[in-house]
């Protein structure tokens, strides 16, 4: 059953068309990820669906029983109300029913009023109360607050004292518990730590209604969505599957369209050659053939569709100016407190050249403080920090305190790197898509994402060989996150990164360190490995037991070595099989390419398309084999 139907919606402004002819259906239970570059129109589409604005043309229809839920409905309007009471207010009808049941029970006990009428009303109210969740609304309120990161002490905090991030989390909690059939979530994981995001994932997975989600958190989208709607070049397309599935399908689709386009151009050129040849021969029958072939060319050109070009992407890489020693960072027994509040102690970290290490932990556990200690901005209470030989630190600050907001993008870069020429500065800005007059816009007029790009640009130009990155993917759209991931994957230096972006962690991490009050716990792998080995569960707090040590359990080194040796043998076998399959697929590609050059194929359009399709399929298979080979090779290196 369709709970929402969007029919040919277009939005046009005097200067440009934002998007046009967007259509899709949303079935009951669908969890759809809405994807698109910043400025593609995702938030505008949300506002149209909620009735906050009207499209230039087209419209939406929804099931008459569908109740929409979105963040703006649930702002905190009573500043002196506590956090707990503010969230509990979402259940006001249940609270009213509960109070009415108490009144009725008291009236029956004191023999006031018509008992039969009171009993009938009691039955009716109790039935509604239980049906609408009256028996669980208190526990759901507590679970939502705890799951989204509020402590028991914060339950009694007046909402006027909440930070912007806490207020957003409270509004999100009200939305989730509102009882709506269709939730519209716009960047729901903002301001949440990993534990809270895991809780939110569990909630959305179990939610029986439909959810439309705008998010740059690709791991979250993979975990909860069953469809992906992309807006690109002003058009929309729905894909069955989560974000990663969508990316793979889109890549294959683009390759097929480009190959078909090239084949059509070749066919047009071939037939045009026949037309010219027939005209040169100049006989009457040749002119008849030329006219017939020209009609064929005209039909082919009429059907020719150029595939949509990829959106313009940034082009950059991080290159160290010099190589550090093998030991990059050694922290011994670090401790830090602010007044009576202990952040951490017994922190021991050893990072070697080329490692990509991620630092995780609850919000407020001291991760950013640790970074400040490593840069000598703060001093530790005890312990020592040693940077290795030739270590040049590059730091990305999540709050971008290193930027001067009154400066333009051009001045911000040139003032810090005065040895560069004006042309060089404009060139590097252009690589980050700051072009024309945009380079002279003041940073305070730019979005958080644009300022983050300027900060990353400066980091790139400094050429450090040890990068300290504090939430580098915040404010960045999906396309830029993937480009940043690739640049960091190609980086030959060393990295220590704070991030809540689990997709980002999964792609880059060699090692994960979890910071607790009592030290650091180490996991030799990416995020999925960490989840598996730590026993953390999606939907619950992954840090609840992080400070507890297992008593009485000793690691069996012999068993671990045997397990590792077995894994290496399996990986080597898999790698050998993969190499054999690649060799065969490459031979098949060669044969198909030769067949496409033969005259028989050139003269038979049907045969040409059949061979082209087989070539596309074999190339796709070969691409998957290359990816598998790279994956297995990396696993072997880790072992």
């Amino acid at each position: 059953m369709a709970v929402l139907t969007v029919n040919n919606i277009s939005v046009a402004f005097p200067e440009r068309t934002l998007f046009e002819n967007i259509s899709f259906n949303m079935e009951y239970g669908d969890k759809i990820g809405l994807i698109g570059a910043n400025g593609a129109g995702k938030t505008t589409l949300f506002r149209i669906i909620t009735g906050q604005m009207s499209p230039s043309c087209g419209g939406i229809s929804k099931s008459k029983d569908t109740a929409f839920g979105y963040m703006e409905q649930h702002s905190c309007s009573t500043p002196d109300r506590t956090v707990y009471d503010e969230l509990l207010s979402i259940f006001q009808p249940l609270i009213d029913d509960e109070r009415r049941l108490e009144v009725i029970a008291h009236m029956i006990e004191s023999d006031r009023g018509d008992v039969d009428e009171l009993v009938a009303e009691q039955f009716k109210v109790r039935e509604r109360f239980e049906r609408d969740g009256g028996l669980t609304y208190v526990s759901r309120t507590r679970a939502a607050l705890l799951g989204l990161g509020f402590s028991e002490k914060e339950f009694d905090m007046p909402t006027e004292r909440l930070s912007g991030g806490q207020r957003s989390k409270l509004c999100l909690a009200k939305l989730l518990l509102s009882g709506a059939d269709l939730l519209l979530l716009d960047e729901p994981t903002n301001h949440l730590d990993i534990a809270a995001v895991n809780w939110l994932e569990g909630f959305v997975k179990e939610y029986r209604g439909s959810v439309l989600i705008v998010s740059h958190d690709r791991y979250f989208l993979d975990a909860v969505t069953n469809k992906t709607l992309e807006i690109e070049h002003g058009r929309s397309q729905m894909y069955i599957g989560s974000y990663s599935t969508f990316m793979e399908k889109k890549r294959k689709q683009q390759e097929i369209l480009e190959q078909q386009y090239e084949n059509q151009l070749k066919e047009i050129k071939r037939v045009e050659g026949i037309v010219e040849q027939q005209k040169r021969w100049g006989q009457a029958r040749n002119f008849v053939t030329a006219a017939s072939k020209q009609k064929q060319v005209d039909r082919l050109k009429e059907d020719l569709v150029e595939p949509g070009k990829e959106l313009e992407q940034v082009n950059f890489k991080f290159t160290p100016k010099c190589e550090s020693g093998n030991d990059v960072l050694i922290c011994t027994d670090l401790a830090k407190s602010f007044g009576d509040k202990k952040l951490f102690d017994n922190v021991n970290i050893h990072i070697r050249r080329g490692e990509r290490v991620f630092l995780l932990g609850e919000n407020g556990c001291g991760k950013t403080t640790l970074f400040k200690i490593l840069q000598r901005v703060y001093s530790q209470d005890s312990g020592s920090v040693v940077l290795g030989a030739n270590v040049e630190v590059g730091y990305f600050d999540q709050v971008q305190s290193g930027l001067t907001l009154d400066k333009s993008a051009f001045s911000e870069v040139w003032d810090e790197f005065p040895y560069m020429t004006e042309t060089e500065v404009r060139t590097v800005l252009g690589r980050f898509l700051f072009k024309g007059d945009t380079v002279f816009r003041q940073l305070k007029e730019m979005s958080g994402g644009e300022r983050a790009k300027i900060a990353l640009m400066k980091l790139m130009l400094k050429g450090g060989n040890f990068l300290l990155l504090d939430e580098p993917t915040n404010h960045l759209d999906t396309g830029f996150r993937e480009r940043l991931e690739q640049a960091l994957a190609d980086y030959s230096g060393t990295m220590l990164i704070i991030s809540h972006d689990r997709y980002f962690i999964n792609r880059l991490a060699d090692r994960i360190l979890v910071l607790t009050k009592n030290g650091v716990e180490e996991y030799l792998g990416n995020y999925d490995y960490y989840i598996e080995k730590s026993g953390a569960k999606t939907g619950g707090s992954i840090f609840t037991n992080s400070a507890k040590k297992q008593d009485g359990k000793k690691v069996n080194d012999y068993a671990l070595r045997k397990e590792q040796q077995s894994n290496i043998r399996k990986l080597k076998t898999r790698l050998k099989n993969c190499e054999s399959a690649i060799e065969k697929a490459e031979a098949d590609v060669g044969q198909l390419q030769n067949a496409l050059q033969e005259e028989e194929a050139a003269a038979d359009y049907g045969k040409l398309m059949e061979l082209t399709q087989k070539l596309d399929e074999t190339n796709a298979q070969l691409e998957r084999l290359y990816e598998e080979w790279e994956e297995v090779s990396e696993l072997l290196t880790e072992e």
Side-chain angles (χ1 to χ4, degrees), residues 148-433:
L148 289 174
F150 288 96
S151 67
E152 293 271 7
K153 292 181 180 179
E154 292 170 331
F155 283 17
D156 296 325
M157 182 188 295
T159 58
E160 64 183 350
R161 289 174 50 195
L162 295 178
S163 66
Q166 289 174 317
R167 190 175 297 272
S168 295
K169 289 195 290 186
L170 183 54
C171 291
L172 175 61
K174 292 177 69 176
L175 170 61
L176 297 177
L177 298 183
S178 66
D181 303 301
L182 172 57
L183 298 180
L184 303 178
L185 304 181
D186 193 351
E187 296 294 351
T189 61
N190 281 2
H191 310 295
L192 302 184
D193 61 16
I194 292 180
V197 173
N198 280 337
W199 180 88
L200 179 61
E201 277 178 12
F203 183 96
V204 174
K205 284 178 182 177
E206 296 174 7
Y207 179 69
R208 294 184 179 181
S210 306
V211 190
L212 184 60
I213 307 166
V214 171
S215 179
H216 292 140
D217 188 331
R218 296 154 295 169
Y219 197 100
F220 177 75
L221 292 174
D222 273 349
V224 303
T225 59
N226 67 313
K227 294 180 182 177
T228 301
L229 177 67
E230 183 189 33
I231 301 178
E232 186 177 67
H233 301 302
R235 304 276 183 173
S236 69
Q237 184 166 355
M238 184 76 80
Y239 296 81
I240 304 300
S242 62
Y243 175 81
S244 292
T245 304
F246 143 74
M247 287 295 292
E248 181 64 17
K249 287 182 176 180
K250 182 183 177 183
R251 183 184 65 80
K252 291 180 179 177
Q253 184 182 65
Q254 184 71 16
E255 288 176 355
I256 291 171
L257 290 175
E258 289 174 356
Q259 186 64 54
Q260 289 176 344
Y261 180 71
E262 291 298 322
N263 290 337
Q264 287 173 315
L265 288 178
K266 289 177 183 177
E267 178 65 7
I268 289 171
K269 185 176 180 180
R270 186 185 70 84
V271 178
E272 283 179 337
I274 295 174
V275 170
E276 291 301 318
Q277 183 184 62
Q278 295 293 323
K279 287 180 177 179
R280 284 197 303 271
W281 287 346
Q283 301 296 321
R285 61 185 178 83
N286 298 125
F287 285 115
V288 172
T289 301
S292 174
K293 291 295 183 182
Q294 184 60 52
K295 289 180 181 179
Q296 183 181 349
V297 169
D298 294 340
R299 286 195 301 270
L300 288 171
K301 287 183 176 180
E302 185 177 342
D303 295 336
L304 186 65
V305 177
E306 185 175 1
K309 295 181 179 178
E310 294 289 329
L311 294 175
E312 189 176 11
Q313 295 290 333
V314 293
N315 178 26
F316 67 100
K317 63 180 180 178
F318 296 100
T319 304
K321 291 181 178 178
C322 65
E323 188 176 89
S324 70
N326 187 56
D327 292 323
V328 174
L329 172 68
I330 299 175
C331 298
T332 305
D333 295 331
L334 284 184
K336 183 65 180 176
S337 298
F338 288 103
D340 295 333
K341 182 180 179 182
K342 181 181 82 170
L343 286 181
F344 52 77
D345 61 17
N346 299 318
V347 170
N348 293 280
I349 299 173
H350 188 175
I351 297 177
R352 297 169 179 83
R353 184 178 63 234
E355 283 194 302
R356 299 182 291 203
V357 182
F358 278 77
L359 183 66
L360 307 186
E362 292 179 318
N363 283 351
C365 72
K367 300 185 296 294
T368 298
T369 298
L370 178 59
F371 269 28
K372 299 289 188 183
I373 291 172
L374 299 183
Q375 298 173 83
R376 314 297 186 190
V377 176
Y378 295 161
S379 59
Q380 65 270 26
D381 297 338
S382 60
S384 63
V385 175
V386 177
L387 292 175
N390 297 323
V391 170
E392 297 289 339
V393 176
Y395 176 54
F396 178 89
D397 181 2
Q398 66 166 313
V399 298
Q400 300 160 7
S401 58
L403 299 180
T404 305
L405 299 185
D406 289 333
K407 288 184 179 180
S408 67
F410 183 85
S411 297
E412 178 70 22
V413 176
W414 207 5
D415 288 352
E416 186 142 354
F417 303 96
Y419 58 83
M420 297 175 67
T421 66
E422 180 177 349
T423 300
E424 288 172 336
V425 173
R426 299 224 34 167
T427 298
V428 75
L429 284 163
R431 287 164 60 187
F432 282 76
L433 305 186

Side-chain angles (χ1 to χ4, degrees), residues 338-548:
F338 288 103
D340 295 333
K341 182 180 179 182
K342 181 181 82 170
L343 286 181
F344 52 77
D345 61 17
N346 299 318
V347 170
N348 293 280
I349 299 173
H350 188 175
I351 297 177
R352 297 169 179 83
R353 184 178 63 234
E355 283 194 302
R356 299 182 291 203
V357 182
F358 278 77
L359 183 66
L360 307 186
E362 292 179 318
N363 283 351
C365 72
K367 300 185 296 294
T368 298
T369 298
L370 178 59
F371 269 28
K372 299 289 188 183
I373 291 172
L374 299 183
Q375 298 173 83
R376 314 297 186 190
V377 176
Y378 295 161
S379 59
Q380 65 270 26
D381 297 338
S382 60
S384 63
V385 175
V386 177
L387 292 175
N390 297 323
V391 170
E392 297 289 339
V393 176
Y395 176 54
F396 178 89
D397 181 2
Q398 66 166 313
V399 298
Q400 300 160 7
S401 58
L403 299 180
T404 305
L405 299 185
D406 289 333
K407 288 184 179 180
S408 67
F410 183 85
S411 297
E412 178 70 22
V413 176
W414 207 5
D415 288 352
E416 186 142 354
F417 303 96
Y419 58 83
M420 297 175 67
T421 66
E422 180 177 349
T423 300
E424 288 172 336
V425 173
R426 299 224 34 167
T427 298
V428 75
L429 284 163
R431 287 164 60 187
F432 282 76
L433 305 186
F434 293 96
K435 299 180 179 180
D437 292 338
T438 62
V439 303
F440 299 115
R441 284 173 57 206
Q442 288 186 313
L443 298 185
K444 63 184 178 183
E445 298 173 353
M446 294 184 176
S447 67
E450 289 172 318
R451 290 199 291 268
K453 291 175 185 178
I454 296 293
L456 287 168
M457 185 190 313
K458 291 169 63 177
L459 184 68
M460 177 193 73
L461 291 171
K462 287 178 180 176
N465 54 32
F466 181 32
L467 300 184
L468 297 176
L469 308 178
D470 191 353
E471 299 289 0
T473 61
N474 278 6
H475 307 295
L476 301 179
D477 62 30
T478 303
F480 195 96
R481 288 185 185 204
E482 291 179 346
R483 186 64 196 90
L484 174 61
E485 283 170 7
Q486 189 57 55
L488 293 175
D490 295 338
Y491 175 62
S492 62
T494 309
M495 293 178 281
L496 179 58
I497 306 173
I498 298 170
S499 181
H500 291 139
D501 187 337
R502 296 160 298 164
Y503 198 99
F504 181 64
I505 300 170
N506 244 6
R507 182 171 179 189
L508 291 176
D510 299 323
R511 186 154 55 105
I512 287 175
L513 304 178
V514 179
L515 181 63
T516 74
K517 286 186 177 182
N518 301 312
V520 168
E521 294 185 351
E522 181 180 66
Y523 297 86
L524 301 176
N526 62 9
Y527 181 78
D528 286 343
Y529 177 87
Y530 157 68
I531 288 293
E532 176 188 350
K533 296 300 181 182
S534 67
K537 302 295 183 183
T538 299
S541 175
I542 64 174
F543 301 107
T544 303
N545 300 314
S546 60
K548 296 181 181 179

Side-chain angles (χ1 to χ4, degrees), residues 101-160:
L101 287 171
E102 291 174 356
V103 170
I104 293 172
H106 182 71
M107 291 177 69
I108 293 174
E109 288 175 4
S110 59
D111 198 22
R112 287 189 294 133
D114 187 311
V115 174
D116 290 338
E117 289 183 1
L118 289 172
V119 169
E121 183 185 0
Q122 184 183 50
F123 177 81
K124 180 179 178 181
V125 175
R126 184 177 298 280
E127 185 180 45
R128 181 178 65 217
F129 179 74
E130 294 180 357
R131 181 195 66 212
D132 294 343
L135 300 178
T136 61
Y137 79 92
V138 172
S139 61
R140 282 185 285 153
T141 299
R142 289 180 57 81
L145 288 174
L146 293 170
L148 289 174
F150 288 96
S151 67
E152 293 271 7
K153 292 181 180 179
E154 292 170 331
F155 283 17
D156 296 325
M157 182 188 295
T159 58
E160 64 183 350

